[in-house]
Amino acid sequence: VKIPVQYAQRSATILRQHGKILEEKWNTDGSLTAKIQLPAGLQEEFETAINSISHGNAEIKIIATH
């Protein structure tokens, strides 16, 4: 997940609520890049929450499913 600076702080809470943060990087521009692990059943809810906070400006990429 990559979240622009203006939404990063509020989105960090959503990340913690929905899954386990595997990697978290606060970029020099203030944006947040994170890799999280979450149950498949929460994926849609997570994407909706992040897109709601970021007004659709976050990048969400699924990198692995098990």
Side-chain angles (χ1 to χ4, degrees), residues 11-63:
S11 297
T13 302
I14 299 295
L15 297 178
R16 289 181 187 88
Q17 290 174 341
H18 285 81
K20 178 181 177 183
I21 298 176
L22 303 176
E23 294 178 26
E24 181 178 48
K25 178 182 177 189
W26 290 91
N27 302 305
T28 56
D29 65 357
S31 64
L32 172 62
T33 303
K35 184 188 292 185
I36 69 164
Q37 180 180 27
L38 66 146
L42 289 180
Q43 181 180 334
E44 185 176 345
E45 180 183 321
F46 169 74
E47 289 180 9
T48 299
I50 290 294
N51 283 323
S52 177
I53 285 177
S54 71
H55 303 283
N57 291 306
E59 291 179 38
I60 300 172
K61 182 178 177 184
I62 300 170
I63 57 173

